Amino acid sequence: MPITNLKDLLLDAEAENKAVGAFSVGNMEMIIGAVKAARELDTPIILQIAEARLRTSPLEYMAPLMLAAAKESPVPIAVHLDHGLSENTVCKALDLGFTSVMLDKSLLPFEENVLATRRVVERASRYGAFVEAELGVVGGSEGGTVSHEISCTDPSLAARFCERTGIDALAVAIGNAHGNYPALPQLRFDILEKIGKSCSVPLVLHGGTGIAPEMFRRAISLGIRKINIATANFDCLARSAKAYAEKADKPDYFELSKAMVDGVYENVKKHITIFNNDWR
Ligand code: 13P
């Protein structure tokens, strides 16, 4: 099927009070594992890669794999650039065929964030692509880069940011952080509720690894429609590969590849089940 437009996926999620899982990938096994879970559960997903990961997984190699997986899939799959840090990288992803991009200028002052994001929205519109941006600062470190302090999104600025930039989705900072949380995070649902009431675009929750199922469900009930999972995906692959290596009599690439696929498949399946918000 043609690569899915993220806008349609998030509108469907809104209608069904669900969220779509956005799973970070860094190699072919991760793509295969994520798509296998999506197909099995007949649930759309987003395959994404962040700019910080391109040092080990070059965009020119990853893009064709991700796009091919989406085109081959019988369930809708969108292909997204996560945390684009430079406008150059965002443009490269659009040229390579990504249907969705994030520009992350959240560390800049409000006005500069607005101007840079608006430029990307204008550029993406020529490709019919979807744009996500961040207001406030999600904590932690995406891809081992500098770790950031959490700075919650100011709800009084959120609607103005969406209107002035013309973005399609807003990544919120509500106490969430990238990486493994040292303890269960205290998410600011009060802030999320205010943002949800004032903004008409779908909201995105970053830092999904380690958030409890009931917290995901509450976030979904308050307007979160896209949830990002990266660390858990990489950790599950690494743990599964390690377990294989420890029990293998002799190294076998094909078994190792299968272990990596299985690790990601289990993780994606677990999260899809939660994000589908199915209480039965
Ligand atoms: P985690 O690494 O905490 O799952 O966060 C993923 C993320 O938000 C990617 O943008």
Side-chain angles (χ1 to χ4, degrees):
M1 76 162 53
I3 297 168
T4 303
N5 185 319
L6 196 44
K7 195 171 245 167
D8 295 337
L9 284 193
L10 300 191
L11 278 176
D12 289 350
E14 169 86 34
E16 295 171 23
N17 194 29
K18 295 177 176 178
V20 183
F23 298 98
S24 297
V25 292
N27 68 11
M28 187 180 68
E29 280 77 6
M30 298 186 82
I31 296 172
I32 294 174
V35 172
K36 185 177 167 200
R39 290 181 71 147
E40 193 175 302
L41 297 179
D42 194 20
T43 297
I45 59 165
I46 299 153
L47 291 176
Q48 64 179 17
I49 186 162
E51 181 163 348
R53 313 278 181 191
L54 302 181
R55 283 170 292 145
T56 48
S57 310
L59 191 59
E60 294 80 359
Y61 294 10
M62 291 301 296
L65 287 172
M66 294 164 76
L67 293 163
K71 283 182 192 145
E72 286 285 303
S73 168
V75 289
I77 293 184
V79 176
H80 176 74
L81 175 75
D82 186 31
H83 291 286
L85 301 172
S86 70
E87 291 175 49
N88 263 351
T89 306
V90 169
C91 291
K92 203 159 139 186
L94 290 168
D95 282 339
L96 285 166
F98 279 43
T99 51
S100 175
V101 288
M102 175 186 190
L103 178 74
D104 179 0
K105 291 291 179 188
S106 57
L107 295 176
L108 293 181
F110 181 82
E111 204 57 39
E112 291 172 45
N113 189 354
V114 166
L115 293 178
T117 304
R118 208 161 63 189
R119 280 196 298 275
V120 160
V121 168
E122 197 278 316
R123 172 63 77 114
S125 71
R126 299 184 217 161
Y127 297 77
F130 183 99
V131 179
E132 174 186 334
E134 179 173 322
L135 185 66
V137 180
V138 171
S141 160
E142 169 59 48
T145 48
V146 195
S147 188
H148 304 298
E149 285 295 313
I150 296 171
S151 168
C152 285
T153 308
D154 179 345
S156 69
L157 292 178
R160 201 171 346 140
F161 183 74
C162 295
E163 278 154 25
R164 290 201 43 210
T165 56
I167 51 170
D168 300 293
L170 177 69
V172 295
I174 54 165
N176 45 325
H178 296 113
N180 286 305
Y181 294 98
L184 203 59
Q186 300 296 315
L187 295 186
R188 292 286 308 271
F189 291 111
D190 56 326
I191 293 182
L192 180 59
E193 188 167 9
K194 284 187 190 145
I195 299 171
K197 281 188 177 143
S198 65
C199 292
S200 55
V201 299
L203 305 178
V204 182
L205 185 66
H206 284 244
T209 296
I211 291 180
E214 56 279 11
M215 296 171 96
F216 281 131
R217 290 187 175 119
R218 185 150 174 217
I220 291 169
S221 76
L222 295 171
I224 292 290
R225 297 293 160 226
K226 172 176 179 274
I227 302 179
N228 288 7
I229 302 289
T231 305
N233 241 15
F234 291 104
D235 285 356
C236 287
L237 174 143
R239 266 198 298 274
S240 185
K242 182 167 181 281
Y244 158 71
E246 281 169 357
K247 74 169 178 17
D249 297 335
K250 61 176 179 52
D252 179 332
Y253 163 75
F254 300 99
E255 289 299 316
L256 174 63
S257 172
K258 182 176 175 310
M260 290 195 274
V261 168
D262 289 350
V264 173
Y265 159 76
E266 292 297 343
N267 179 54
V268 171
K269 202 162 104 166
K270 179 179 100 181
H271 283 95
I272 287 179
T273 308
I274 299 166
F275 302 161
N276 273 347
N277 209 3
D278 189 348
W279 288 90
R280 278 166 298 164

